[in-house]
Amino acid sequence: MAGGVKKKLHLGRLHPFRCGTKSFQPEHSLIGGPGFSRVVFCNNTESQRVLTYGNNYVTSTKYTLATFFPKSIFEQFRRAANIFFLITAILSFTPVSPSSPVTSVLPLALVIAAAMLKEAMEDLRRKKQDIEVNNRKVKVHRGEGVFDNAKWMNLQVGDIVRVEKDEFFPADLILLSSSYEEAICYVETMNLDGETNLKLKQAVDATSKLHEDSGFQKFRAVIKSEDPNANLYSYIGSLQLEEQQYPLTPQQLLLRESKLRNTDFIYGVVIFTGHDTKVVQNSTAPPSKRSKIERRMDKIVYFLFSILVLTSFMGPIFFGISTREDLENGTMTRWYLRPDDTTIYYDPNRAPVAAILNFLTFIMLYSFLIPIPLYITLEIVKVIQCTFINQDLHMYYEEADKPAKTRTSNLNEELGQVNTILSDKTGTLTCNLMEFIKCSIAGTAYGHGVTEVERALARREGLPSAKEVTNGEGQVENSNKAAIKGFNFFDERITHGKWVNEPHADVIQKFLLLLAICHTAVPEVDEDTGRLSYEAESPDEAAFVITARELGFEFYERTQTSILLHEFHPISGRKVQRSYKLLNILEFSSSRKRMSVVVRNMEGKLLLLCKGADSVMFERLTKNGKEFEEQTQEHINEYANAGLRTLVLAYRELDEEEYNKFNEEFHEAKNSVSADHEELMEKVAEKIEKDLILLGATAVEDKLQNGVPECIDKLAQAGIKIWVLTGDKMETAINIGFACCLLRQGMKQIVISSETPKIKALEKVGDNSSIAVAFRENVLEQILEAKESLTTLRKSSETLALIIDGKSLSCALEDDVKGLFLELALGCASVICCRCSPKQKALVTRLVKIRTGRTTLAIGDGANDVGMLQEADIGIGISGVEGMQAVMLSDIAIAQFRYLERLLLLHGHWCYRRISTMICYFFYKNIAFGFTLFFFEAYASFSGQTAYNDWYMSFYNVIFTSIPVVALGILEQDVSAELCLKFPLLYQEGVQNVLFSWFQFLGWAFNGVLNAILIFFFCSRAMEHPAFRKGGEVAELEILGTVMYTCIVWVVNCQIALSTNYFTLKNHCYIWGSIILWYIFLLAYGAMNPIISITAYKVFIEACAPAPSYWLLTLFVVITSLIPYFTYRSIQLWFFPMYHQMVQWISKDGQSDDPEFCQMVRQRSLRPTTVGYTAHLEATSKRFLEMHEVHL
Amino acid sequence: MMSSNTASSSAAVAGSADSAAPRRNSKKPKYSRFTQQELPACKPILTPRWVISAFLLVSVVFIPIGVASLFASRDVVEIVDRYDNDCIPDNTTDKVNYIQTPGDKSCNRSITVPKRMKQPIYVYYQLDNFYQNHRRYVKSRSDAQLRDNSSASDTSSCKPEDTYNGKIIVPCGLIAWSLFNDTYSFSRNSSQLNVNKKDISWKSDREHKFGSDVYPSNFQSNDTVIGGASLNSSIPLSQQEDLIVWMRTAALPTFRKLYGRIEVDLEPNDVISVTLQNNYNTYSFNGKKKLVLSTTSWLGGKNDFLGIAYLTVGGLCFFLALVFTLVYLVKPRRLGDPSYLSWNRNPGGH
C-alpha cells in the first residue's frame, strides 16, 4: 500500500491512442444467442444457484484414483511390443506354451508394473502442483460487505473477489473497479503470452466507483457473456446494472494466470472458472516427440519381429514333418510319444494343424529375441540422465538461480545428433538488455565500451589455441563494468559533469536532456534503498533514461502533466530540480520509426524533442541543423558495424502560434474515430516533426549473453549449423550476426529483401495482386541468382551468408520455391532470417527438419518462439526474462545460451553414446539368448521344449542381465567431460550416427548369433553322451540347460564389461554382481522344495559344482565367445580408429597437454569451419597475408 | 570478466560448488560426484601391450588346460558295442514285429578289453535318435505323484498314460511307461561279473523326488500298447533306480544312461561275454542301441572335445598375439595419429 502513495500518476494518460470510445459493437447483438449463453448473477449466490457452472477446481493430472488402473494399463498396451508380450502371456496359459505361464507373465508384469509406477509418480507430482494451485487463497465477498479468504478451488461463477497487488487472478474475472480513480489496472500476462510489458485494463464507468469492501453489500448485476472458448484476445459480453446495459470487451477481462501489477487492488467478478478459463482452454498437450534413435529402434524391433516370425516358421515345418511320420501306415514310429492317442497338438493325422499350433509355441519361445524390458529400462535410464542435466552445476545460472530443467525425458540422445540449430535472437543470443555504450554528440564520438565479441576476439588473439589458459588472468577491464544495468558508458570527458568543459557543452546538455525527457518510462523508487529504477516499454528506452540519470539528468518523477528532473546545473555544478510540462507525446510506431515529445520548460520555451532511426531523421533536419551531419553519419556507420543499435537525436524550438495550431489538429485527429485514425495522427505529427536540429546519435548495445560468441564458435567447430531466426529488423539482425561472428567481413552476403528499389517502385503504382505476383517473381529471381553465385563461389573458398527478410521468406516458403530456397540456404555458412513471424519460424524449422531429414534444434525464449520450439526435433527454452511460455512448452529449459555448448557437446554426446550402446547391447543379449533356444530346438525335434528351467527364462531379462546395462546407460563416458569440450568435432559421431547405424546394429546382432552358436555347440559337444564327471554321471537336460545358461550369463555380462569405456565401482558391482547373483539364485532356487524348483533342484550343488568340467567349460566358452569381439575391437582401434578412440588415445598418452597436437587432431574436420570467431580469425589472418603478397 | 568465461571453465564453477553456504531456497544443485558425473573410474583402452598380453595370457592358461584335459580323456578306456542289429535273428524281415512279439530275445555278445580298465567300470546303454527331449515326452510325468503317495491321483499331465480302466497308473506318464527294458549280464571266463545297480541315480532324486512310500500300481497293465519295462510293485519308487535314471530326461536325441557299475578291474584282452535281453523297441524309429563300458577320469568319460578345444583356442590366441606383435614391431603406428581417422578416409562421406 505504501508504494501506491508515492505513485500518484496515472499511466492512462500515457496511452492516448489506446482508449477508444466505448459503444456496443455489432457483435454484441449475438449475446444470448448460441455460443453466447452464459449468464452470471454477480454477487447473487441464490440466483446463480440455478445456473451453476462448476467450481474453480483445476486438475492437470492424467489419472484419478479410480481411473488410474484401467487407464494406465491401457496406456501401456498401446505399445505394439507390449501387446505382443501380452498375447504371449495369454497364450502361455494354453497348452501351446513351451513353458509355464510364469516365464512370460512374470517379466511382463514386472515391466508393466515398473512403467505404471513411473506414471503414478509423475502424476503424483502433477497432483501436488494442482493441490498447491487449488488451495491458494483469495479474498471473496461473503455478503454484508465482508471479504474473507477462500481457496481458489471454491470460487463460483458470480463471486466478487478482491485481488491485491502482485497476486495472480484466480479465475477469469470481469474488472469492476480498482484502487485507481479511473478503475484502471495493469496486468502482466507473462504466463500467457510471454510479453513482459504491462497491459492496461479498465472497468466500465458504471462500476468504477466501488472502492470499498462495503460497497459490495448491495451490489447486484447480471453479466451475459459468451461461452468459454480458447481465444485469449476476444471477449464479448454485457453488464446489466440497474436496468442499464454496458458492453464488455477484452478491456475488462482479467485472465487467470496473469498477475496484477502496479495497482494496489482490484475488485472483479468471476465469470469463467476452472476448466472454462481461457488459459486452461488454451492449454494443449505438447506434441510428443520421439528421438530418431527410438524411431530406428522401433524399426529394429520390427526387424527382429520378422526374424522371429521367420524362424518360428521354420520350426513348425520340421515339426510337422516329423509328427506326420510318427504314424506310418498305422504303425507308430516314435512309439514312446504315443502318436496313436494324442491331443491335437501332436496328432500325426492332423499334422498341419499341429504345426500351426506349434507355430504359436515358437512365437512364444522366440519372443526372447525381443527384449521386453527395453522400453522401460530406457525410460528409467533417461530419467536418470535427465537428472544429470538438471543437476549439472556447470549449467546452473547463479544470477537468476536457475538450473537446467529437462521437461521431456525422451530426447536426451537426440541432443547428441543435432545438425542445425535454429536460434531466436532477442533474449536468446542477447540478454534483451540494452546498454548505452557509445554516443556521438555534436560530431564527436564518446564512449570506450567494449562489446562482447570484441572481448572474445581480443581473448583469442592473445592466445590462439588454449582458451583455458586465459581463464585465470582474463582481460583487464573497467572494474566497475556492468555495475549499473543498461549503462556501460565510460568517457572521462563526459562523466561526472565534465561535459561542461567540452567544446559543444550546450549541445551535450540538450542531448542529455532529450534522453531524460523523450520517452514513456515510469520511475519507481525502491523504498529500502531509495534508488530509482525505471519501467519502460522497451529496454533501449530504459537505457536512455538510465544514461541520462548517470550523466546528471535524473528523471525522478512523472506526474500526469509533467516530467520532473534533478538536473545538473552547468554553472553552479549542483543539482537543481526542474520540471518540464509534458504537452504531447507522438508515439513510436514501426512506420514512423521515431518518437517525439513536446514540452514546455520552466522558462516557458516550447521544445520538440525527437529521436529516431537515421533513415528518417536526417531528411527532417533544417539546413542550419546539419552542422554535424557528416561526422555523425560516419559514427553511425561505425557503430552499426560493431553490432550496435543507433538512434539519431534532434530537437527544435517551437513558437506558440505554431504549437497551438498543431495542438488543435492533433486533438482533432486523436479524437477522430474514423478508420484512418492512425494515418491522420501520423500526418499531423509529420507536420511538426520537421526542421530539426541535429544533436547527435546514440549507440546501444543489444547485449549479447555471456559467452555467446565462444559457444557459437564451439558449436560451429562441432560442425553444427546455426541459423538465426528473428523478428527483428534486418539491420539489427545483421548487427547481431556480426556480433556473434556468424557474419564477418569478407563473407559474401546474399541479401534477399523485399525492399529492393524495384519493388518499392512497384508498390507506388500497381494494384495489390500484381504487386504480389511481381514480388514473388522478384524473390524467385533473387534466389536463382544467389544459387548461381553459390555454384561459382564453391570453387573458390569464399563463404556465403544468406540474409532474408520475412516478406521474402513467405514467398520462399511456398511449396514450389522452398526446395530451391533450402538448397541455397544449406550452401551458405550462415543463414539469418529477419522479420520472421512466429509462424514463419515454425515453417522454416519444419522445412529444415523434413527436407534434410536431419535433427534440428530450436532455441528461443519468447512466446513467439513456441511454434518453432514445438516444431523442431528438440525445443530448448531459455528461462530468461521474457516470461515462461517458451519454457513451459520447451523440451529442455536452460538459463543461458552458452549452456547449449555443454548440453549438446557433453550431455548430448554422452547420452547418445549411452543410449545407442545400450540399445545395441539389449538386442545383442537377447539375440544371443534367443538363438541358443533356437539351436536347441533343432535337437529336440522342434517340439518346442525349452532348454532352460522356466524361472531361468523369466529372470534372464529382468534380473541377470538388466542391471549392468542400466549402469552402462547411466555412467558410460567415452571421453572425459573436459576432452569432450576440447574436441568439439567428437560431436559429429552423433550427427553422422556412427554408433547406431544399421551396420553397428547388425554387427552386434552378428556377435549375438555367433555367441549363441559358440555357447550352444561347445556346451552340447562337451556335455554329450560320455560322463561329465568322475562319478560316471551323464549330463541330462537340466544340467545342460544350467551349463548353457551359466555360460550365457557370463558371456553377456563380460561382453558389457568389454564394451564399457568408463569403469566405475558401480559398474564392477553390477556386472560381477549379476554373475554372482546367478549363482546365488541357483543355490537358493535349487535348495527349494523340488515341487517349486522342479528341474533346478540341487542341480548346481549336486551336479554342476563338483564337476571340474563344468567350470572348465564355463571358462572356455566365455573366453572363446569374447575373442571375436575383442579381436575386432583391437583391429578397429589400431587400423580404423573412430574419433573418440583417437581422443582416448591422446588422453592416455598424455598428448592432451600438447597444444600443437591437439590442434592437429581438432582440425581433422569434415569441412572447414566457416563461422565463429575461430574462422573469423583465420580469415582475417589469411586476408592479411594475401594483402601482403599483393603488395610484394 | 571471469563470469563471461564460465562456459568453458570447469574450474571456476567447480570451485564455487565447494564454497558451500548456499543461499536459502536456492535451486542450486547439490554437488555430488555422481550427479556431476565425476565418479572415479578406470578407463581401459586396448593398447597394443594390453591386447598382446591378453592373448598371451589366454594361450598360456588354455594350452596347459587343454593338454591336461586331453590326457585325462585319453586315459579313459571306453568300449562301445552296438547290438541292435546283431541281436535280431538274421532271417527276420520285420524287425518291429519281432521286437513287439513276446518271447525270449536273449542275445550273446562278447567284448574284448583293449586296455586295462580300473574299477569302477561304468556300464551304460546308449540310444540314438530317441527324442527324450520332445516336449510331449518331457511334460508327460507327474512329479507330485512320484514324490508323494497322497498325490497319487495327480495325473493330469500324464495323458494318455494316466489311468487304465479307470485305475490310476503309478508312475504315470510316457516317460515311465517307455522305461528301457533291455538287461545285461556280464561274465568273464565264465565267472559272473557283478553289476552293481545301487546308487546309479542322483541322490537328490532318490531322496526327494521319488517317494519311499510310493509303489507302482497298474503299471504296464495295458496289453494293447506295450511300453517298456514293468516294475516290481513291492519296491517303492525311491529304490527303483533304473526308473529314476530313466526319468531324468536326456538333453539330446543321442544319450547314454547309467546301467550299473562293475566293481572289479578288467585286464587287457579279457573277453567279456554279455548276455542281454533285447526287449526295447528302437526299430520302429531306426534308433540304435549300444552297450558302453567305460572308466572315468577326473574330467569324466572319454571326450576329447574339451581338450582339443582348449588347445585350439589357446593356439589361436598365441597366433594372434604373434601377429599383433609382428604388426606392432614391423609397422608401428602412432596410435593417436589422426590420419587414420575413419572419416578422413572418405572426405565426401557426410
Side-chain angles (χ1 to χ4, degrees), chain A residues 335-338 341 391 398 401 459 471 914 939 943 973 1027 1030 1032 1062-1063 1102 1112 1135 1142 1151, chain B residues 1 9 23 27 36-37 39 42 48 124 131 133 135-136 160-161 204 281 296 301 310 334 336 345:
Chain A
W335 57 269
Y336 52 90
L337 297 175
R338 283 298 296 272
D341 182 2
Q391 299 275 315
E398 192 100 47
D401 189 29
R459 212 164 20 236
N471 252 342
R914 289 167 182 168
Y939 287 86
S943 58
Q973 299 178 7
K1030 189 158 175 51
Y1062 191 79
F1063 243 108
E1102 186 183 37
L1112 282 182
F1135 300 98
M1142 300 270 330
Q1151 288 163 335
Chain B
M1 197 48 230
S9 81
R23 65 177 120 155
K27 287 183 200 143
Q36 300 307 310
Q37 311 195 56
L39 287 174
C42 67
Y124 302 93
Y131 286 91
N133 58 9
R135 186 153 68 97
R136 173 168 165 84
E161 291 298 328
S204 64
N281 177 11
T296 56
Y310 261 110
R334 191 173 178 191
R345 283 158 197 273

Side-chain angles (χ1 to χ4, degrees), chain A residues 552-621:
Chain A
F553 288 76
E554 185 183 50
F555 160 54
Y556 73 95
E557 196 169 346
R558 183 190 279 275
T559 67
Q560 291 188 52
T561 54
S562 53
I563 284 179
L564 300 177
L565 301 184
H566 284 136
E567 211 175 293
F568 179 84
H569 198 266
I571 297 159
S572 66
R574 277 181 305 145
K575 283 204 170 179
V576 288
Q577 186 174 328
R578 283 176 71 90
S579 82
Y580 293 85
K581 208 162 172 351
L582 188 62
L583 300 173
N584 302 88
I585 298 175
L586 312 177
E587 285 208 338
F588 181 86
S589 80
S590 53
S591 57
R592 279 162 44 78
K593 292 187 179 170
R594 62 186 181 273
M595 86 160 276
S596 317
V597 291
V598 183
V599 292
R600 191 191 293 278
N601 68 10
M602 283 164 88
E603 287 79 38
K605 222 189 251 173
L606 279 167
L607 288 172
L608 176 102
L609 306 172
C610 183
K611 61 176 186 198
D614 49 354
S615 57
V616 295
M617 291 298 282
F618 282 121
E619 64 194 36
R620 282 167 216 284
L621 301 179

Side-chain angles (χ1 to χ4, degrees), chain B residues 19 57 117 144 155 169 174 177 192 197 203 283:
Chain B
S19 63
L57 181 76
M117 292 172 88
T155 58
I169 300 173
L174 290 174
W177 175 73
Q192 186 77 19
K197 291 180 75 82
K203 190 163 164 253
Y283 303 97

Side-chain angles (χ1 to χ4, degrees), chain A residues 430-688:
Chain A
T430 65
C431 316
N432 201 14
L433 174 74
M434 299 296 164
E435 275 193 350
F436 190 91
I437 193 162
K438 286 172 188 183
C439 64
S440 154
I441 310 172
T444 316
Y446 296 100
H448 313 307
V450 187
T451 60
E452 182 75 16
V453 72
E454 284 169 340
R455 216 168 286 144
L457 272 173
R459 212 164 20 236
R460 281 293 295 209
E461 264 156 4
L463 273 164
S465 64
K467 173 146 71 148
E468 299 73 32
V469 188
T470 52
N471 252 342
E473 48 188 10
Q475 211 80 27
V476 188
E477 270 269 329
N478 293 308
S479 54
N480 52 345
K481 183 226 149 197
I484 299 145
K485 207 171 147 193
F487 182 70
N488 190 16
F489 180 80
F490 300 101
D491 199 317
E492 59 291 342
R493 289 172 291 176
I494 298 270
T495 45
H496 305 297
K498 299 232 179 71
W499 54 267
V500 283
N501 306 324
E502 284 293 295
H504 293 283
D506 57 326
V507 181
I508 297 177
Q509 187 189 11
K510 287 204 184 77
F511 184 90
L512 295 175
L513 197 61
L514 196 150
L515 291 184
I517 294 175
C518 181
H519 55 76
T520 57
V522 181
E524 255 181 19
V525 181
D526 188 316
E527 274 140 64
D528 300 329
T529 60
R531 274 201 76 88
L532 274 171
S533 61
Y534 301 102
E535 254 183 51
E537 277 188 357
S538 76
D540 335 33
E541 231 171 34
F544 287 148
V545 189
I546 289 165
T547 308
R549 182 186 72 199
E550 295 305 314
L551 298 180
F553 288 76
E554 185 183 50
F555 160 54
Y556 73 95
E557 196 169 346
R558 183 190 279 275
T559 67
Q560 291 188 52
T561 54
S562 53
I563 284 179
L564 300 177
L565 301 184
H566 284 136
E567 211 175 293
F568 179 84
H569 198 266
I571 297 159
S572 66
R574 277 181 305 145
K575 283 204 170 179
V576 288
Q577 186 174 328
R578 283 176 71 90
S579 82
Y580 293 85
K581 208 162 172 351
L582 188 62
L583 300 173
N584 302 88
I585 298 175
L586 312 177
E587 285 208 338
F588 181 86
S589 80
S590 53
S591 57
R592 279 162 44 78
K593 292 187 179 170
R594 62 186 181 273
M595 86 160 276
S596 317
V597 291
V598 183
V599 292
R600 191 191 293 278
N601 68 10
M602 283 164 88
E603 287 79 38
K605 222 189 251 173
L606 279 167
L607 288 172
L608 176 102
L609 306 172
C610 183
K611 61 176 186 198
D614 49 354
S615 57
V616 295
M617 291 298 282
F618 282 121
E619 64 194 36
R620 282 167 216 284
L621 301 179
T622 71
K623 282 203 180 101
N624 307 334
K626 291 190 173 180
E627 200 179 330
F628 320 112
E629 190 182 353
E630 210 169 301
Q631 296 101 304
T632 309
Q633 184 73 59
E634 215 166 86
H635 290 148
I636 287 174
N637 291 345
E638 223 166 80
Y639 296 153
N641 275 342
L644 302 174
R645 273 192 204 210
T646 55
L647 277 182
V648 174
L649 309 189
Y651 83 108
R652 75 180 278 212
E653 288 177 16
L654 300 173
D655 53 49
E656 290 293 334
E657 194 184 325
E658 191 184 4
Y659 174 70
N660 286 340
K661 193 168 157 241
F662 157 75
N663 199 25
E664 230 165 77
E665 283 175 34
F666 184 69
H667 272 284
E668 207 171 286
K670 197 169 150 186
N671 292 334
S672 75
V673 279
S674 57
D676 53 354
H677 169 88
E678 267 182 40
E679 216 170 286
L680 219 66
M681 302 262 316
E682 265 179 41
K683 248 185 210 156
V684 177
E686 185 97 3
K687 274 189 193 160
I688 197 147

Side-chain angles (χ1 to χ4, degrees), chain A residues 1015-1147:
Chain A
I1015 290 167
F1016 177 78
F1017 288 98
F1018 284 163
C1019 286
S1020 61
R1021 277 293 287 117
M1023 289 277 165
E1024 232 177 7
H1025 30 269
F1028 78 104
R1029 48 184 251 172
K1030 189 158 175 51
E1033 298 91 340
V1034 290
E1036 293 101 350
L1037 182 54
E1038 47 265 58
I1039 293 166
L1040 182 71
T1042 309
V1043 172
M1044 274 164 59
Y1045 198 89
T1046 308
C1047 291
I1048 289 177
V1049 170
W1050 269 95
V1051 168
V1052 298
N1053 279 307
C1054 288
Q1055 180 73 48
I1056 203 168
L1058 212 55
S1059 4
T1060 305
N1061 287 308
Y1062 191 79
F1063 243 108
T1064 65
L1065 194 62
K1066 284 192 172 72
N1067 291 84
H1068 281 295
C1069 286
Y1070 295 146
I1071 293 174
W1072 314 125
S1074 291
I1075 296 173
I1076 292 165
L1077 200 65
W1078 155 241
Y1079 286 111
I1080 292 172
F1081 165 80
L1082 209 47
L1083 279 173
Y1085 184 48
M1088 282 179 199
N1089 192 308
I1091 293 294
I1092 301 166
S1093 55
I1094 323 170
T1095 57
Y1097 182 65
K1098 288 197 173 169
V1099 74
F1100 180 66
I1101 200 151
E1102 186 183 37
C1104 294
S1109 62
Y1110 169 74
W1111 300 105
L1112 282 182
L1113 186 62
T1114 312
L1115 175 72
F1116 172 72
V1117 171
V1118 171
I1119 299 287
T1120 312
S1121 301
L1122 295 176
I1123 284 175
Y1125 178 76
F1126 186 76
T1127 317
Y1128 163 78
R1129 268 286 291 267
S1130 315
I1131 291 174
Q1132 187 252 329
L1133 187 64
W1134 286 22
F1135 300 98
F1136 313 95
M1138 292 201 268
Y1139 198 78
H1140 72 267
Q1141 289 165 330
M1142 300 270 330
V1143 178
Q1144 284 173 353
W1145 274 117
I1146 290 166
S1147 68

